[in-house]
Amino acid sequence: MDAMERHDVIVVGGGLIGLTIAWRAAQRGLDVLVLERDGCAHGATRAAAGMLAPIAEIDFGTAGESLLALGLESATAWPAFADELAAAIGEPSRLRTDGTLILARDRDEAEALERQLAHRERLGLPVERLLASEARRIEPALVPSLRMALSLPTEASVDPRWVCDALLVAMRAAGAELREGAAVASVTRESGVARGVELESGERLAGEHVVLATGAWAGALANVPVRPVKGQIMLLRDPEGEGLVTHTLRFEHGYLVPRADGIYALGASAEERGFDLTITARPLYELLRDASELVPGILDLEVAEISAGLRPGSPDNLPMIGTVKEDGLILACGHYRNGILLAPLTATMVLDAIAGAELPDVVAPARHTHATVVG
Ligand code: GLY
């Protein structure tokens, strides 16, 4: 008798991307199991600032433009996605749509902003140059010596922890199951096709489809070129509540993202240190120094939390989404700096892959030819 537990879809990884995929798959009537090694949203999701920032994060070059297109598409899906989650938990949506200001402290930074402005204007993106006085009118906490700013009025942000809390409720209501503390040792195959997993406990689970959404750890289960890029971030809390700033503020090497209840995410370093999550003083000092040169009032806030996360970097900064042709494993990895932004689009693409549809070449795992299951 075959007593092995069987599911239509096994999602490995209980971060925001894995949970989104699980929710959407369960909504389609699939029997879904999420396996999470630690606790849900303990990895990069927990350390993420939650900016939905395809225009602010744009890179130069062809890959940058491809990422922009993906980001804009997913950003369009976010308001309905957040509303649907809010309805699922009976709370107002925590999507913030106040927009972003990119700030320049001095002439050099202002010149760099002019180049960024020109790049975005060439691509027809919504961006506006603001005089320092105009920026200070909409954000009075900005320092009087501010040099200039760019306004990106369409950019949004969301608290990733709120999203994950809501996803857990929504996904369970849709019938998906979650196992925390379930570390996957390997993907198992039948006739060379991924058809389940073996846990470190030795238990084997069967899945018609296996989706890998393990962030920076994707390389442990598949030969994919995903590397960890460490980000250290802090949460600051204003005991007087919200209102110090309302826009996401970006500056050279950092950002300050307002959340509900007077919380501000100040991030983030970008460090190539492997799987290291040590909290160190220098990046935190530099973030506080740079941010306080723009918003002096942040030095009066309480430090609520300091954390580090690992971004899943890919060679071209584009995600790898879709089926590995040789063995059927479905990848949802390599989202680098844009995991929160790209979650709704990633889930749509994974559902398409499950249905056997072709995905855009730009996300195809095959562009990194060694994407195969580790046996
Ligand atoms: N998306 C912001 C970051 O990765 O720091």
Side-chain angles (χ1 to χ4, degrees):
M1 191 180 87
D2 180 5
M4 201 190 298
E5 186 177 315
R6 292 184 175 276
H7 298 274
D8 295 328
V9 182
I10 293 178
V11 179
V12 187
L16 195 140
I17 289 180
L19 297 181
T20 304
I21 292 166
W23 179 38
R24 290 308 196 201
Q27 284 179 317
R28 296 251 184 116
L30 296 169
D31 172 338
V32 184
L33 173 67
V34 180
L35 296 171
E36 163 54 42
R37 180 187 55 177
D38 300 316
C40 265
H42 277 196
T45 300
R46 184 170 171 77
M51 288 177 292
L52 309 177
I55 302 174
E57 292 266 351
I58 185 173
D59 276 336
F60 289 93
T62 318
E65 287 180 25
S66 299
L67 186 55
L68 172 70
L70 295 176
L72 290 173
E73 188 177 347
S74 205
T76 306
W78 255 101
F81 181 67
D83 283 349
E84 205 180 331
L85 282 176
I89 58 168
E91 279 185 12
S93 165
R94 289 215 192 166
L95 188 79
R96 299 179 69 110
T97 54
D98 304 270
T100 293
L101 299 181
I102 312 182
L103 306 170
R105 282 169 290 193
D106 54 31
R107 200 169 66 184
D108 284 353
E109 288 184 6
E111 281 172 9
L113 276 201
E114 292 292 356
R115 288 192 292 278
Q116 293 199 33
L117 173 67
H119 183 215
R120 289 166 176 84
E121 283 180 339
R122 258 196 313 277
L123 295 168
L125 297 168
V127 55
E128 191 190 346
R129 181 197 290 100
L130 297 184
L131 297 173
S133 56
E134 294 169 320
R136 293 191 65 235
R137 200 170 310 126
I138 55 175
E139 287 293 4
L142 286 171
V143 73
S145 60
L146 182 76
R147 186 80 184 204
M148 74 171 274
L150 299 184
S151 167
L152 308 179
T154 57
E155 300 232 311
S157 68
V158 72
D159 180 347
R161 298 179 192 186
W162 174 81
V163 176
C164 281
D165 288 348
L167 275 169
L168 278 174
V169 174
M171 127 191 157
R172 284 182 168 131
E177 190 192 329
L178 165 71
R179 276 212 228 169
E180 292 178 297
V184 172
S186 63
V187 175
T188 53
R189 284 173 272 187
E190 279 172 24
S191 310
V193 177
R195 286 278 185 253
V197 296
E198 180 166 348
L199 303 184
E200 282 180 3
S201 64
E203 185 183 359
R204 289 168 79 95
L205 302 164
E208 184 65 19
H209 304 278
V210 181
V211 181
L212 197 62
T214 47
W217 287 265
L221 294 174
N223 287 324
V224 288
V226 173
R227 71 183 198 288
V229 182
K230 178 178 174 183
Q232 298 192 55
I233 188 163
M234 68 184 86
L235 295 184
L236 303 172
R237 195 178 80 82
D238 191 339
E240 292 176 12
E242 297 184 28
L244 178 67
V245 299
T246 54
H247 295 71
T248 292
L249 303 181
R250 299 184 68 109
F251 46 94
E252 210 177 15
H253 309 308
Y255 44 75
L256 184 69
V257 186
R259 289 187 183 162
D261 307 323
I263 297 284
Y264 296 89
L266 173 61
S269 63
E271 305 166 62
E272 302 277 352
R273 292 186 186 278
F275 289 91
D276 165 45
L277 286 167
T278 318
I279 303 291
T280 54
R282 184 184 299 278
L284 302 172
Y285 157 72
E286 287 171 354
L287 285 167
L288 280 169
R289 179 198 62 201
D290 293 356
S292 64
E293 281 175 14
L294 288 157
V295 184
I298 66 160
L299 293 180
D300 296 321
L301 305 184
E302 295 170 1
V303 177
E305 185 184 307
I306 297 175
S307 58
L310 299 173
R311 304 175 184 88
S314 73
D316 54 10
N317 293 342
L318 286 157
M320 283 163 267
I321 308 170
T323 307
V324 178
K325 289 279 183 290
E326 312 86 74
D327 55 40
L329 180 68
I330 298 175
L331 301 184
C333 59
H335 291 76
Y336 190 36
R337 297 180 66 96
N338 292 290
I340 310 299
L341 169 66
L342 294 176
L345 179 63
T346 299
T348 302
M349 287 181 165
V350 167
L351 268 282
D352 286 350
I354 286 173
E358 286 290 318
L359 300 186
D361 286 345
V362 73
V363 298
R367 73 187 191 281
H368 302 299
T369 50
H370 49 309
T372 57
V373 169
V374 172

